[in-house]
Amino acid sequence: MDSIKVHNSLKPGGPVPFVPIEKGKVSWYACGPTVYDQSHLGHARNYVSTDIIRRILMHYFGFNVKFVMNFTDIDDKIIIKARRQRLLDLEKQKNYTDAEILELGKAAFRAYAENNLPKLLEGEGELDVNNYIPRRDAAYGNVLAGGTLTGEGKPGDAEAKLKMHISNMTSAVIAINGNQVFKGADEILLPYLDSLYKETIDTSDQSIFTDLTRFMEGEFTNDMDALNVLRPDVVTRVTEYVPQIAKFVERIVEKGFAYEAEGSVYFDIAAFEKAGNTYARLRPESRNDKALQEEGEGSLSKSLGGKRGAGDFALWKKSKPGEPYWPSKWGNGRPGWHIECSVMASDVLGPRMDLHSGGIDLAFPHHDNELAQSEAYFCQHGHEHTWVNYFLHMGHLSISGSKMSKSLKNFQTIKDALASTYTARSMRIVFLLGRWNDGVEISPDMRTQADNWEITVNNFFTNVKSLLAEASGTTAGVNGGVKALSISDDRPQEDLRADLEQAKKEVEEALINSFDTPAVLRAIGEVIRKANIHINAHKDDADLPAVEAIARWITKIVGILGLDANAKPPYEGIGWVSAAAAANLDPSTAVQPYKEVYKTFYAEVKALELPTSETITSLYSQSPDPEFDSLASAGTRDPEQLALPYLRAVARLRDELRRLAPTTSPETKKSILALSDRVRNYDLSNLGVYLDDRTDQPSLIKFVPAAELIAAREEKAAREAEKARAKEEARRAREKAEEEKWAKAKLAPEDMFKGDERYGEWDAEGIPTKMKDGSEVPKSQLKKLKKDWERQKKAHSEYQAKFGGSTA
C-alpha cells in the first residue's frame, strides 16, 4: 500500500505524505463546540466529516487513534447568552404596568436599530414602530430581495447578518403593536437589558453559566450520538483547566513572549517573531484582518486596553463586573479563547501531536494563535518548535452563499433536520459526496444524488440476500456464506471478480488520496451497476459467490464510513444491521412475530378446506421449527436469519395457494386471493418483509424496512382512493350533463323562442319573424335561429323516443 497523503493546512497545495510521530499510532486533537446554543447542520458538517476521517484511519488503515476533543465552556458568547437570559427572566418578574412594558419595548427597539441597522435612522423624524416597515424597505429592500447592500456582487455573511437583525426587528414590531413585548421581542430586549444591568449580576455563583453549558453539552452529545459520531477517547472542559491555563500563561510571560497590561495578559507577536518564530503560518494573508482579530478576541474584550501591537491577543482577560472570574497572579480574570485549546491539548497529548482539526473558520485567528502560544511555550530560544504536524480544516456548510452559523441565526438545528428532512445516514451521504476540506452548499440536486445512491445500495443488499437465501434453500447461504469467496481460488479473474478487484483498487487509491470519499461512493455505485447487469443477464446461472463477495465488501466499506449505526467493526455480513439484530435479542423472542404470522396463516389455509393437493399436504407436514432450533443453537442472533425458516414456509404455501386458485370455485378463489394479499401486504409488510411475486418462479423474500413498506402501501392506497374519487367525480359529471341535456331537450322546438322578449311575432313553427319593435328579423340572425330550431327539434324527438309523451 502506498503512503497516505493528506491536505495539510500548514503546507498549502496538494496532499502531502502522512507520517505519524509513532508508527501505527495517531494523536489527534479536535476543537469542540462552544456550548451556548443548539447544534446545527454546520456543526454536523464539521464533526461528521471529522468522524469519517477518524473511522477510516482506525478501521481501514488500522491506526490506533487517540482522539481528544474539548468543550469550550468559558467564552464571551456563553457569558452574554447566560447573563442576558438571567436579566430577561428578572425583568419579567417586575411589576410593570402595560404602559411601562410597552415603553420598555420601544426603548429596546430604538437601541437595537441604532446598534445594528443604522440606515433605519436616516430620514426625517424619529424611527418608531409605525414608520419601521417603509423605512426598512427603503433602506434594506435590496438585501431582503436577495441582493447585496452595495448592489454589487453576491450576498454573503454581511447580508445574512442584516437579514437576521431585520427579522428580529420585524418580530419586535409585531410584538409591540400587539402588546406582547415579553412574548415576541426577546431578541431586541436581551441586548438592551444587558446594556443597562450587566454589571449588577453576581457572578461569584457561576451556576448562571454552568447551568447553560452543561445542558448544551448534553444536547450536543445527544446530537452526535444520533449522527453516529464516535465519542472522543478523551473529553476536556475549560472550567476544569483554569489553574493549568494560568500556569501556562505565566510560563509564556516568563519566556518574554507575553506581557501584562491593565490586569490582562497579551501575547507579544513581535517578540515571538524576533526570536525566530513564524506567526500566522496557516493564514498569513489574514494576520492584519481587524474584523477577524476582533471576532477572535470576543465582543466583551473590545474595551480592554494596553496592547503593544494591534494584532496581540489575550491569553488572560481581566474580568469585568458581570463576568465570571478565577484568581491569578494578575488578579481576577478568565482565560482567553485561544489559550484554552493549547493547554488542554498539550496536557493530554504532550508537546507535539499528529493531527489538529476544526472548521475552516477557525484557521485564523484561533488556530494560528494556538500554534503561536504553544510553540512559544515549548520552544527553546533559537529553535522553532513543531506543536502540530498536520492541520485538517473542514469546509464550510453554506446557505445561499453564507456560512451556516449560530451568530447569523441562519441555521437548521440537527434535531430539527433529523426530525424532518434527514436521517443520520442520508446526512452523512451528503457530506461524503463532497471532499472534507471543500465547502458544501446543499442543493436539491445534491440531495437527489445522495438519495439515489442510498436507494441503489439498499436495493442491492436486499436483492443479494434474497438471491442467496433462495439459492441455498436454507439460511446457510446468508449465515455462513458461500465458502469460496476469495478471488484467489481456481476461478478465472474476470467479469464480476475482476470488477470487484478494480473497485477495491479504486477505493484504496481514493482513501490514500486525502480521504477522497466522493471517489469511494462512485466506485461502490459502479461495481453495484455491473453486478446488477450480471444478475439480470444470468437469472439462472449468476456467479453468486462473486455477487456475495461484492456485497460483503460494500458492507465493510459503508460500515467503515459510519453509514450503519448498528454495525460494529470489522463490519462482516451483508447489508445494514437491523436495530433488532444489534439488540442481540433472545432468538425465541426475536422470531416470535414471524412465527405468529406462520401459525396464523397455516391455520387460515386449513380452514379454507381446499381440494386435496400433494404439495399442500407435504407443506403441512414440514415444520420450520427444527431449522430455527439449529440456527439458534449455532449462535445466530440476526432476526432476519432466524425468521427465514418461517418466512419460507409462508411463501411456499402462499405460492401453492395462488397456483391452485384458478382451479377452485369463484368463492374459494376470492378467499384465497384475499388471504394471499393480506399476508403479503399487511402481515409481512408490517414486519419489514416483502414477498416479490415472480412469474413462473417462487416468490422472493426481501427484507425491507417496515416503514418503507407501510409508506408504499399507504401511498398506493391513497393513489387508488384518488383514482376512485376522480372516477366517481367523472360519473357524477356525466350524470349531471345527461340530466341537463334531457331537461333542455324536453322543450318543444315550437316553444323555445316564445319566451324571448326580443321578438314580437313568430311563425307556425315558433321561429321569430319580427323583432319587438315590429322590424323584420335580420337575415343573418334568422339563419342562426333556424339552425338552433333544427337542433332542438332533433333533441326533442330523441327525448320523446326515450321518455314518450308529447310536448307540454
Side-chain angles (χ1 to χ4, degrees):
M1 182 181 73
D2 294 334
S3 172
I4 302 170
K5 294 181 179 180
V6 299
H7 282 96
N8 182 4
S9 298
L10 288 166
K11 296 182 179 180
V16 297
F18 175 65
V19 182
I21 298 166
E22 186 176 350
K23 187 176 181 180
K25 295 183 178 181
V26 174
S27 54
W28 186 346
Y29 180 85
C31 277
T34 300
V35 280
Y36 73 99
D37 208 341
Q38 293 289 342
S39 302
H40 54 67
L41 288 183
H43 295 107
R45 157 65 170 163
N46 179 17
Y47 296 108
V48 169
S49 296
T50 300
D51 182 70
I52 290 167
I53 297 173
R54 181 184 174 194
R55 287 172 177 271
I56 291 169
L57 287 173
M58 292 168 58
H59 301 144
Y60 188 88
F61 293 115
F63 285 102
N64 180 2
V65 177
K66 185 172 186 178
F67 187 83
V68 184
M69 190 191 78
N70 75 294
F71 284 107
T72 296
D73 56 356
I74 302 174
D75 182 78
D76 289 27
K77 294 174 181 176
I78 292 169
I79 296 168
I80 292 170
K81 175 77 176 285
R83 189 174 67 197
R84 287 179 175 180
Q85 192 57 52
R86 175 65 61 88
L87 289 171
L88 182 59
D89 292 342
L90 292 173
E91 199 73 7
K92 290 179 178 180
Q93 294 172 18
K94 295 179 180 179
N95 293 320
Y96 279 129
T97 64
D98 289 345
E100 289 172 330
I101 293 174
L102 194 59
E103 188 53 42
L104 174 68
K106 290 179 178 178
F109 170 81
R110 289 189 290 270
Y112 195 91
E114 183 177 342
N115 291 325
N116 302 294
L117 297 167
K119 290 175 72 69
L120 290 176
L121 305 178
E122 299 173 1
E124 296 182 5
E126 288 191 356
L127 171 72
D128 59 36
V129 294
N130 295 316
N131 62 23
Y132 163 72
I133 296 296
R135 287 202 180 190
R136 177 200 68 185
D137 294 344
Y140 299 107
N142 193 45
V143 173
L144 292 173
T148 64
L149 190 60
T150 62
E152 299 176 355
K154 294 181 179 181
D157 290 354
E159 284 74 20
K161 186 170 288 188
L162 284 173
K163 286 183 177 180
M164 175 195 73
H165 290 315
I166 292 168
S167 175
N168 291 342
M169 285 284 279
T170 304
S171 297
V173 168
I174 295 171
I176 292 169
N177 286 335
N179 291 317
Q180 300 288 319
V181 173
F182 281 150
K183 293 184 178 179
D186 283 7
E187 293 299 334
I188 67 164
L189 284 172
L190 290 167
Y192 180 65
L193 295 173
D194 195 52
S195 70
L196 297 178
Y197 307 120
K198 61 187 175 187
E199 296 184 1
T200 67
I201 293 292
D202 178 13
T203 56
S204 61
D205 176 12
Q206 293 184 1
S207 63
I208 179 178
F209 308 108
T210 55
D211 286 351
L212 171 65
T213 57
R214 286 172 184 166
F215 175 76
M216 288 302 174
E217 179 183 324
E219 292 291 279
F220 174 86
T221 301
N222 291 339
D223 287 341
M224 294 301 105
D225 288 346
L227 292 175
N228 196 32
V229 171
L230 295 172
R231 291 195 177 189
D233 300 310
V234 180
V235 168
T236 63
R237 299 174 186 83
V238 183
T239 50
E240 298 169 356
Y241 270 86
V242 177
Q244 295 97 312
I245 291 172
K247 288 291 184 183
F248 200 96
V249 174
E250 285 182 31
R251 175 62 177 154
I252 297 175
V253 173
E254 290 169 1
K255 295 180 72 173
F257 297 125
Y259 56 91
E260 183 271 339
E262 301 178 13
S264 296
V265 180
Y266 298 98
F267 188 80
D268 192 334
I269 294 175
F272 180 68
E273 292 187 317
K274 187 176 180 181
N277 300 293
T278 303
Y279 177 68
R281 291 198 286 126
L282 291 167
R283 292 290 185 273
E285 72 279 4
S286 299
R287 62 176 294 157
N288 296 317
D289 190 317
K290 187 176 180 181
L292 289 176
Q293 290 170 344
E294 289 181 353
E295 185 179 347
E297 289 295 83
S299 60
L300 296 178
S301 304
K302 293 178 181 178
S303 61
L304 295 178
K307 287 186 180 182
R308 295 175 186 172
D312 292 354
F313 54 91
L315 303 178
W316 184 265
K317 299 178 180 181
K318 178 183 178 179
S319 289
K320 301 188 293 295
E323 298 177 5
Y325 57 86
W326 288 262
S328 77
K329 65 181 295 182
W330 312 285
N332 288 339
R334 57 190 177 90
W337 175 33
H338 316 298
I339 197 69
E340 300 168 349
C341 289
S342 290
V343 176
M344 292 184 290
S346 299
D347 179 67
V348 180
L349 299 176
R352 191 177 179 192
M353 70 191 77
D354 292 305
L355 297 176
H356 193 333
S357 66
I360 186 62
D361 55 319
L362 298 182
F364 184 88
H366 185 55
H367 287 157
D368 266 324
N369 289 353
E370 273 190 60
L371 284 169
Q373 62 206 10
S374 301
E375 290 164 0
Y377 180 90
F378 289 111
C379 75
Q380 301 297 319
H381 281 288
H383 300 281
E384 278 194 285
H385 176 80
T386 299
W387 186 57
V388 174
N389 284 350
Y390 302 87
F391 241 116
L392 310 184
H393 285 111
M394 311 299 150
H396 272 315
L397 181 69
S398 299
I399 294 182
S400 301
S402 299
K403 72 173 183 179
M404 184 179 287
S405 72
K406 295 177 186 174
S407 59
L408 295 178
K409 291 185 171 62
N410 65 341
F411 62 88
Q412 181 182 28
T413 66
I414 292 172
K415 287 181 177 60
D416 288 345
L418 292 179
S420 56
T421 55
Y422 287 93
T423 64
R425 182 180 296 155
S426 67
M427 189 184 297
R428 187 171 286 241
I429 293 170
V430 166
F431 298 147
L432 286 164
L433 285 170
R435 296 293 294 260
W436 58 269
N437 55 321
D438 290 340
V440 174
E441 181 151 8
I442 298 177
S443 65
D445 286 346
M446 179 177 280
R447 288 299 309 273
T448 299
Q449 184 182 356
D451 290 343
N452 289 342
W453 188 89
E454 183 177 3
I455 290 169
T456 296
V457 175
N458 289 347
N459 290 342
F460 182 66
F461 284 153
T462 297
N463 292 334
V464 171
K465 287 196 290 186
S466 299
L467 290 170
L468 291 172
E470 179 189 45
S472 65
T474 69
T475 53
V478 178
N479 187 31
V482 178
K483 299 300 182 183
L485 291 183
S486 173
I487 60 171
S488 61
D489 63 10
D490 295 333
R491 301 184 70 161
Q493 303 294 312
E494 58 185 20
D495 298 334
L496 279 188
R497 294 159 181 267
D499 293 335
L500 174 56
E501 282 303 288
Q502 180 63 27
K504 287 181 176 181
K505 179 183 177 183
E506 290 173 1
V507 165
E508 180 148 310
E509 288 174 349
L511 294 179
I512 287 172
N513 183 27
S514 196
F515 319 112
D516 183 359
T517 57
V520 173
L521 266 57
R522 288 195 298 272
I524 290 173
E526 179 62 12
V527 78
I528 288 176
R529 185 186 70 82
K530 291 176 178 177
N532 286 338
I533 290 173
H534 174 85
I535 291 169
N536 290 330
H538 299 81
K539 294 187 182 297
D540 298 322
D541 61 345
D543 185 355
L544 288 185
V547 171
E548 182 180 10
I550 291 171
R552 290 186 182 277
W553 174 76
I554 293 173
T555 299
K556 180 178 286 290
I557 298 301
V558 297
I560 289 170
L561 296 176
L563 289 171
D564 192 343
N566 296 318
K568 291 180 173 56
Y571 306 113
E572 296 175 340
I574 295 179
W576 311 116
V577 177
S578 67
N584 197 29
L585 297 174
D586 172 75
S588 296
T589 302
V591 83
Q592 190 59 35
Y594 306 96
K595 190 173 183 178
E596 283 299 318
V597 170
Y598 159 76
K599 290 167 63 177
T600 301
F601 182 56
Y602 266 62
E604 289 180 300
V605 172
K606 288 179 179 179
L608 290 175
E609 297 183 355
L610 298 170
T612 302
S613 162
E614 289 185 12
T615 302
I616 288 182
T617 301
S618 175
L619 290 172
Y620 283 160
S621 67
Q622 298 172 13
S623 171
D625 291 337
E627 188 180 355
F628 163 75
D629 292 339
S630 175
L631 287 167
S633 299
T636 300
R637 291 295 180 270
D638 185 346
E640 291 183 4
Q641 297 177 34
L642 294 168
L644 274 173
Y646 298 99
L647 295 176
R648 280 202 193 88
V650 170
R652 287 166 180 165
L653 181 57
R654 180 176 171 275
D655 286 343
E656 181 62 14
L657 278 183
R658 295 174 71 241
R659 188 188 68 79
L660 286 176
T663 66
T664 61
S665 66
E667 188 174 328
T668 302
K669 179 181 178 181
K670 183 178 179 182
S671 299
I672 288 174
L673 296 180
L675 179 57
S676 298
D677 287 346
R678 193 208 72 204
V679 77
R680 182 190 64 182
N681 298 336
Y682 289 89
D683 299 355
L684 294 178
S685 288
N686 292 345
L687 297 178
V689 178
Y690 176 68
L691 291 184
D692 186 359
D693 291 330
R694 302 179 295 176
T695 304
D696 299 327
Q697 285 183 293
S699 299
L700 201 57
I701 299 167
K702 295 183 176 182
F703 290 97
V704 180
E708 291 183 21
L709 293 176
I710 293 170
R713 183 177 73 209
E714 291 175 349
E715 185 179 333
K716 180 181 178 182
R719 286 197 307 268
E720 290 176 349
E722 173 60 23
K723 185 177 179 181
R725 185 200 62 76
K727 185 177 181 180
E728 175 63 14
E729 196 173 274
R731 183 190 65 78
R732 290 178 180 176
R734 288 195 302 273
E735 287 183 354
K736 183 179 180 182
E738 190 78 0
E739 289 175 4
E740 291 173 351
K741 169 189 171 182
W742 294 120
K744 183 179 178 182
K746 184 177 181 181
L747 181 67
E750 294 81 4
D751 298 326
M752 66 181 294
F753 299 121
K754 292 290 178 69
D756 194 329
E757 294 182 353
R758 293 177 299 171
Y759 306 114
E761 292 184 17
W762 297 262
D763 63 15
E765 292 181 324
I767 298 175
T769 55
K770 289 188 177 181
M771 305 300 292
K772 189 173 184 179
D773 61 4
S775 62
E776 297 288 332
V777 175
K779 289 184 178 180
S780 60
Q781 187 173 343
L782 184 61
K783 185 177 181 181
K784 181 179 183 305
L785 292 173
K786 288 181 177 179
K787 285 184 176 180
D788 292 343
W789 188 91
E790 290 292 341
R791 280 195 294 270
Q792 185 65 18
K793 179 181 179 182
K794 181 180 179 182
H796 187 64
S797 297
E798 292 174 354
Y799 174 85
Q800 287 181 311
K802 184 175 181 67
F803 298 103
S806 58
T807 59

